[in-house]
């Protein structure tokens, strides 16, 4: 069952997108994302982003968060990073999205520049320049805001009718800027708290894990060093009682060393370095004597992940006395400098002590591990992470979403009790016309809930280049509608959408009804020609999908064969060629009901594929249908019934008209004959 649902979702598409143009740059095929080049800033671009006049220097930084450091004659200006390189940002089209984001030393976004995108654009006239203005509007956004960046009035407004594309760009810029600022120390977060201080004694620091220890008894050492020329005597006394702590946080270091000695210790640290305090007592020395000859403490090492850090003489200081109350009587006390690169003090690490003794021929040794993790109380918390746009969008659109869910619930009820409804012709007609009017006016023109074949194409592209739920959730109404349609495809087929929830389909049916009431003659398309004209929409869908693998720009230009954007999303407020195209389709629909749906709609063709998987078949036929009576065939408004009386699920829009005819004793010839027999 889950496999069937997945196939339907893949084929039907859940991507909340509308038809559009794409301003594609750089990438023409999915699946090449790992091979595209990251956008690189020039000095001129960096100067523009920071609003700097005069010479400046760009220096590439290759670390956990790669980017560029920017400095001028008077010092550092800030940092630049690529959204694609830092967050692997993928746009609404499923293609790589790359924006260079500049963060100044005060924790503000200095500027942003769109470098690559392949986004469908909703509104006529919306170009790269319009999106670039939106991206540039992030200049001045304060990343240090307590409530999180992106919540204040300094945020640029989301572009109307391009909510999803601009929302994805917004989230990628804010995530990249925040990550870059934290990594460069502009914002607190994930680093050591070197400011806060509170008095603590030795037992309190031990209890919270700020100081840790490991004791090796004489008996344990004797067994581990068996065979030594000078054996270790057995006993419960400590062979070595080893203690370690990071002393950069004042609450740890200042309490252990005292103010004067602590200031001297941290003042001697180089850029990015951390101070490790090690103390021991017992028979064995943690320092040994080899470091006096070669400058390396061979008995101690720090291990973090795959990195093994040697402790050297240049970063060593001896501590004679401790200021803290309750400390044991140590034999040796030392401070070692840990490097800034290759070591993260906020992450767990291990202090390894190697003890060895000579044998008659070689030596024997053992290693003692002392695992250390700086308590969370000494790690600074970053500012609140910007809330994803989709969360606020769902909050804003909760009433609209509720209305769509009510509509889909009502449609489900109609289809479940259809046998009862179709026996009451007036009730069926009232429900049908009322629902179509609601679909056109409320769902279409008011909520902009028009689905598109572009969504199917973009969904396929997203599966190939990076599927992300956040992208779908940015447009709540469309997401809700697609979810209902996907389930409807499983239960009833494509007619759930095409016959009831498509605003443009509703517009065609209502306009044709008005035309028939006014006496406009209807054209009956011969069935042989009718079947051959279906080829157009299926060919159009395959062409759009296939073309998208070569160029999304060309594919979405071809997708302008859909009139949905002009007639529904933009309410005819568009250039005259597009409006003329819609009027021509509606004019044809006055003579041939749902002309566009029958022969030209690529979305209908796309939905017809998963319609083959529908579970139920609740449209009834009689043995006489197609042999003794062909009335339903002539009454079907979309030509979904063939001369043999069979209903084609690929073409049926679930209008239930044939069911009304079958159950009406005054219309159905079979029922009429049955009524005459007793007489």
């Amino acid at each position: 069952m889950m496999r069937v649902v997945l196939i339907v979702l893949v084929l039907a598409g859940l991507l909340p997108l509308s038809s559009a143009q794409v301003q594609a740059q750089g990438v023409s095929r999915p699946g090449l994302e790992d091979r595209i080049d990251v956008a690189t800033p020039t000095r001129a671009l960096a100067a523009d982003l920071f609003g700097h006049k005069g010479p400046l220097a760009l220096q590439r930084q290759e670390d956990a968060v790669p980017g560029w450091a920017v400095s001028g004659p008077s010092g550092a200006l800030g940092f630049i990073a690529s959204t694609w390189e830092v967050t692997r940002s993928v746009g609404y089209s499923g293609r790589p999205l790359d924006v260079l984001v500049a963060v100044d030393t005060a924790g503000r976004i200095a500027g942003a520049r769109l470098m690559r995108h392949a986004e469908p654009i909703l509104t006529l006239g919306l170009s790269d320049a319009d999106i670039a203005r939106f991206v540039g509007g992030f200049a001045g956004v304060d990343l240090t805001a307590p409530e999180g960046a992106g919540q204040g009035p300094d945020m640029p407004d989301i572009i109307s009718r391009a909510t999803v594309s601009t929302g994805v760009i917004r989230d990628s810029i804010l995530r990249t800027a925040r990550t870059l600022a934290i990594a460069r120390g502009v914002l607190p977060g994930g680093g050591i708290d070197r400011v806060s201080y509170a008095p603590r004694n030795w037992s309190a620091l031990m209890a919270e894990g700020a100081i840790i220890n490991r004791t090796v008894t004489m008996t344990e050492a004797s067994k581990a060093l068996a065979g030594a020329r000078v054996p270790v005597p057995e006993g419960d006394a400590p062979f070595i009682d080893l203690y370690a702590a990071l002393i950069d946080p004042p609450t740890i270091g200042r309490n252990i060393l005292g103010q004067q000695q602590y200031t001297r210790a941290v003042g001697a640290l180089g850029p990015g370095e951390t101070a490790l305090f090690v103390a021991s007592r017992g028979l064995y020395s943690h320092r040994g004597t080899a470091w006096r000859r070669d400058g390396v403490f061979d008995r101690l090492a720090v291990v973090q992940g795959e990195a093994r850090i040697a402790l050297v003489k240049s970063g060593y200081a001896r501590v004679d006395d401790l200021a803290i109350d309750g400390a044991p009587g140590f034999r040796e006390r030392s401070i070692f400098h840990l490097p800034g690169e290759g070591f993260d003090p906020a992450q767990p690490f291990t202090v390894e002590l190697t003890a060895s003794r000579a044998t008659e021929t070689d030596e024997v040794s053992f290693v003692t591990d002392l695992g250390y993790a700086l308590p969370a109380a000494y790690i600074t918390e970053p500012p609140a992470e910007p809330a994803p746009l989709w969360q606020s969008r769902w909050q804003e659109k909760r009433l609209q979403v509720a209305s769509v869910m009510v509509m889909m619930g009502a449609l489900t009820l109609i289809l479940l009790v259809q046998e009862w409804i179709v026996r009451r012709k007036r009730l069926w007609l009232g429900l049908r016309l009322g629902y179509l009017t609601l679909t056109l006016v409320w769902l279409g023109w008011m909520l902009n809930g028009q689905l598109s074949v572009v969504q199917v194409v973009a969904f396929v592209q997203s599966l190939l280049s990076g599927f992300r739920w956040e992208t779908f959730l940015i447009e709540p109404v469309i997401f809700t509608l697609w979810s209902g349609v996907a389930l409807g495809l499983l239960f009833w087929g494509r007619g759930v959408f095409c016959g009831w929830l498509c605003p443009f389909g509703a517009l065609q049916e209502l306009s044709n009804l008005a035309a028939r009431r006014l006496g406009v003659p209807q054209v009956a398309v011969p069935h042989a020609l009718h079947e051959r004209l279906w080829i157009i929409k299926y060919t159009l869908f395959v062409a759009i999908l296939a073309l998208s693998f070569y160029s999304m720009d060309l594919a979405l230009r071809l997708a302008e064969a859909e009139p949905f954007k002009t007639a529904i999303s933009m309410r005819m407020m568009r250039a005259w060629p597009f409006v003329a195209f819609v009027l021509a389709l509606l004019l044809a629909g006055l003579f041939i009901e749902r002309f566009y749906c029958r022969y030209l709609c690529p979305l209908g063709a796309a939905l017809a594929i998963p319609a083959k998987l529908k579970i139920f078949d609740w449209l009834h036929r009689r043995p006489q249908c197609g042999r003794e009576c062909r009335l339903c065939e002539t009454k079907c408004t979309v030509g979904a019934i063939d001369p043999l009386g069979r209903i084609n699920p690929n073409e049926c829009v679930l209008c239930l008209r044939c069911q009304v005819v079958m159950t009406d004793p005054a219309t159905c010839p079979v029922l009429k004959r049955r009524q005459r027999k007793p007489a």
Side-chain angles (χ1 to χ4, degrees):
M1 178 64 179
M2 288 303 296
R3 186 175 181 180
V4 173
V5 172
L6 180 60
I7 294 173
V8 171
L9 296 182
V10 170
L11 293 178
L14 285 179
L15 192 59
L17 210 70
S18 291
S19 60
Q21 272 183 309
V22 167
Q23 307 299 324
Q25 300 179 19
V27 181
S28 60
R29 295 187 184 95
L32 301 180
E33 288 74 16
D34 292 334
R35 285 181 269 167
I36 69 169
D37 294 329
V38 174
T40 302
T42 62
R43 287 187 175 87
L45 176 57
D48 186 46
L49 289 174
F50 285 98
H52 176 76
K53 294 182 179 179
L56 53 75
L58 274 174
Q59 182 181 1
R60 175 69 176 174
Q61 296 176 315
E62 298 284 357
D63 52 20
V65 181
W68 294 265
V70 184
S71 58
S74 58
L77 297 176
F79 308 92
I80 297 176
S82 156
T83 61
W84 170 247
E85 186 175 29
V86 174
T87 63
R88 274 300 188 258
S89 52
V90 176
Y92 193 22
S93 62
R95 303 296 182 86
L97 174 72
D98 203 352
V99 179
L100 287 178
V101 183
V103 176
D104 63 24
T105 55
R108 291 180 177 273
I109 297 179
R113 180 70 59 86
L114 181 66
M115 305 302 291
R116 174 188 287 112
H117 80 101
E119 290 302 277
I121 301 171
L122 298 181
T123 307
L124 181 69
L126 189 63
S127 63
D128 276 340
D130 297 301
I131 299 183
R133 277 193 296 272
F134 168 75
V135 172
F138 284 85
V141 171
D142 188 4
L143 300 172
T144 65
E147 68 277 10
Q151 307 300 317
D154 51 356
M155 282 292 297
D157 294 330
I158 296 296
I159 299 177
S160 177
R161 297 182 185 272
T163 305
V164 180
S165 291
T166 50
V168 170
I169 294 173
R170 167 198 180 272
D171 287 348
S172 65
I173 290 175
L174 292 180
R175 287 200 313 270
T176 300
R178 181 176 182 272
T179 303
L180 178 65
I182 291 175
R184 299 297 183 265
V186 174
L187 292 181
I192 295 178
D193 181 2
R194 292 181 167 86
V195 177
S196 303
Y197 170 76
R200 297 278 195 280
N201 58 26
W202 186 267
S203 59
L205 292 176
M206 287 283 294
E208 64 185 15
I211 303 174
I212 58 171
N213 86 295
R214 170 81 165 87
T215 302
V216 179
T217 65
M218 300 289 283
T219 299
E220 292 172 336
S222 177
K223 293 179 180 179
L225 298 176
R229 188 163 49 201
V230 180
V232 177
E234 295 186 358
D236 294 331
F239 176 74
I240 185 169
D241 189 14
L242 186 68
Y243 292 77
L246 289 180
I247 61 171
D248 293 61
T251 301
I252 303 176
R254 184 176 155 189
N255 278 307
I256 293 176
L257 302 176
Q259 178 64 64
Q260 186 176 6
Q261 196 169 205
Y262 171 73
T263 302
R264 188 164 57 249
V266 297
L269 294 173
E273 288 186 339
T274 310
L276 174 68
F277 171 76
V278 179
S280 65
R281 59 180 178 172
L283 178 66
Y284 197 70
S285 166
H286 70 258
R287 289 194 297 237
T289 58
W291 63 276
R292 298 182 184 275
R293 299 189 304 271
D294 53 28
V296 178
F297 291 84
D298 61 330
R299 298 185 177 185
L300 287 176
V302 172
V303 179
Q304 187 175 64
E306 299 296 325
R308 185 178 184 84
I309 303 169
L311 303 181
V312 296
K313 180 179 179 180
S314 59
Y316 160 71
R318 190 182 72 182
V319 178
D320 294 325
D321 297 304
L322 302 181
I324 193 168
D325 293 333
F330 292 119
R331 178 184 171 191
E332 295 176 330
R333 296 160 293 274
S334 310
I335 294 177
F336 300 98
H337 293 187
L338 299 177
E341 291 189 10
F343 177 76
D344 184 354
Q347 298 299 318
F349 63 92
T350 301
V351 178
E352 285 189 357
L353 173 73
T354 302
S356 61
R357 284 202 172 187
T359 65
E360 294 297 336
T361 57
D362 194 6
E363 71 174 19
V364 63
S365 65
F366 71 91
V367 177
T368 297
D369 294 336
L370 188 63
Y372 187 87
L374 189 66
Y378 300 104
I379 300 176
T380 56
E381 288 293 329
E385 189 171 355
L389 181 61
W390 68 266
Q391 294 182 1
S392 60
R393 292 287 296 173
W394 279 81
Q395 182 67 22
E396 295 169 4
K397 300 285 186 179
R398 60 187 183 278
L399 296 180
Q400 292 92 323
V401 169
S403 69
V404 174
M405 295 180 69
V406 169
M407 286 185 63
M408 293 192 297
L411 176 58
T412 302
L413 183 62
I414 290 172
L415 296 177
L416 288 176
V417 299
Q418 58 178 300
E419 288 89 351
W420 183 81
I421 293 175
V422 296
R423 287 182 170 84
R424 295 156 178 82
K425 187 174 181 179
R426 283 193 167 186
L427 175 62
W428 164 79
L429 185 59
L431 286 174
R432 178 73 179 161
L433 297 181
Y435 201 98
L436 291 178
T437 302
L438 185 64
T439 295
L440 174 61
V441 177
W442 176 248
L443 185 60
W445 287 333
M446 301 299 293
L447 299 186
N448 195 24
Q450 176 67 66
L451 306 185
S452 166
V453 70
V454 177
Q455 297 158 10
V456 181
V457 173
F459 184 78
V460 173
Q461 299 288 2
S462 71
L463 289 177
L464 296 174
S465 59
F467 183 90
R468 299 187 182 184
W469 279 109
E470 292 82 357
T471 304
F472 306 119
L473 293 168
I474 289 178
E475 193 55 74
V477 169
I478 299 297
F479 179 86
T480 304
L481 187 58
W482 263 122
S483 300
V485 169
L487 290 176
L489 288 173
L490 282 176
F491 300 146
W492 292 285
R494 61 171 282 232
V496 170
F497 171 73
C498 297
W500 295 86
L501 293 170
C502 177
F504 189 76
L507 176 60
Q508 289 182 96
E509 187 165 331
L510 292 173
S511 61
N512 179 268
L513 176 62
R516 284 189 280 116
R517 294 286 174 88
L518 295 174
V520 175
Q522 299 298 293
V523 177
V525 182
H527 188 76
L529 176 61
H530 175 64
E531 283 186 326
R532 284 156 178 78
L533 290 175
W534 292 344
I535 296 175
I536 299 175
K537 61 184 178 184
Y538 290 100
T539 303
L540 186 57
F541 166 66
V542 172
I544 293 171
L545 181 61
L547 196 57
S548 70
F549 289 95
Y550 173 74
S551 168
M552 281 291 289
D553 179 47
L554 295 177
L556 296 179
R557 289 179 187 276
L558 182 58
E560 288 290 352
E562 282 188 331
F564 304 156
K565 179 171 64 175
T566 302
I568 305 300
S569 301
M570 301 184 66
R571 307 180 189 91
M572 297 292 194
M573 303 297 292
R574 207 176 181 194
W576 72 265
F578 297 100
V579 175
F581 175 62
V582 173
L583 293 177
L585 294 177
L586 292 176
L587 179 63
L590 299 180
F591 300 93
I592 303 174
E593 184 172 341
R594 286 182 176 257
F595 171 81
Y596 175 78
C597 297
R598 290 193 191 192
Y599 309 123
L600 300 177
C601 182
L603 177 60
L607 296 181
I609 299 173
K612 294 286 188 181
L613 301 174
K614 72 185 182 73
I615 299 173
F616 304 110
D617 189 4
W618 290 339
L619 296 182
H620 304 299
R621 309 303 292 148
R622 292 196 178 94
Q624 296 88 346
C625 295
R627 293 188 301 172
E628 302 175 16
C629 175
R630 296 177 60 184
L631 183 60
C632 290
E633 178 192 349
T634 61
K635 293 291 185 180
C636 181
T637 59
V638 292
I641 302 178
D642 65 18
L644 298 179
R646 297 171 300 190
I647 298 175
N648 186 345
N650 292 346
E651 303 300 318
C652 178
V653 295
L654 279 180
C655 66
L656 305 180
R657 192 183 305 270
C658 62
Q659 305 300 292
V660 173
V661 172
M662 284 181 56
T663 56
D664 186 4
T667 305
C668 179
V670 176
L671 294 181
K672 286 181 179 181
R673 285 198 300 270
R674 289 178 181 175
Q675 288 177 334
R676 287 197 299 266
K677 280 183 180 180

